Amino acid sequence: PFLAFTRSAFVARKPNYAQPNWLGVGLAFGTSAALWAFLIKQHNEDVMEYERRQREGHHKCTGCS
């Protein structure tokens, strides 16, 4: 009888597919787009640094390094 008056903090509900959670959808796609943009930017910077080091490594002067 005592447990009949307690409520659970977790309530199971059927998902309502007629009304999607647009905030959650927006956060998911926004986060994914931001991560892809960061990865592409980082990749381009890494390629530029690699090419710069390749150019510097091919000169023939003996006074460097």
Side-chain angles (χ1 to χ4, degrees):
F2 179 77
L3 295 177
F5 295 108
T6 62
R7 293 183 60 185
S8 174
F10 304 100
V11 179
R13 291 184 286 170
K14 290 184 179 178
N16 184 1
Y17 296 112
Q19 295 178 336
N21 180 2
W22 290 113
L23 179 62
V25 171
L27 284 173
F29 279 110
T31 303
S32 180
L35 286 173
W36 273 107
F38 173 75
L39 287 173
I40 291 170
K41 177 182 168 286
Q42 189 67 44
H43 171 73
N44 290 339
E45 289 176 0
D46 291 344
V47 168
M48 287 173 50
E49 180 67 15
Y50 172 79
E51 291 172 351
R52 183 187 65 80
R53 290 184 182 194
Q54 288 293 322
R55 283 192 308 269
E56 287 180 359
H58 286 29
H59 65 279
K60 302 291 184 191
C61 76
T62 58
C64 298
S65 71

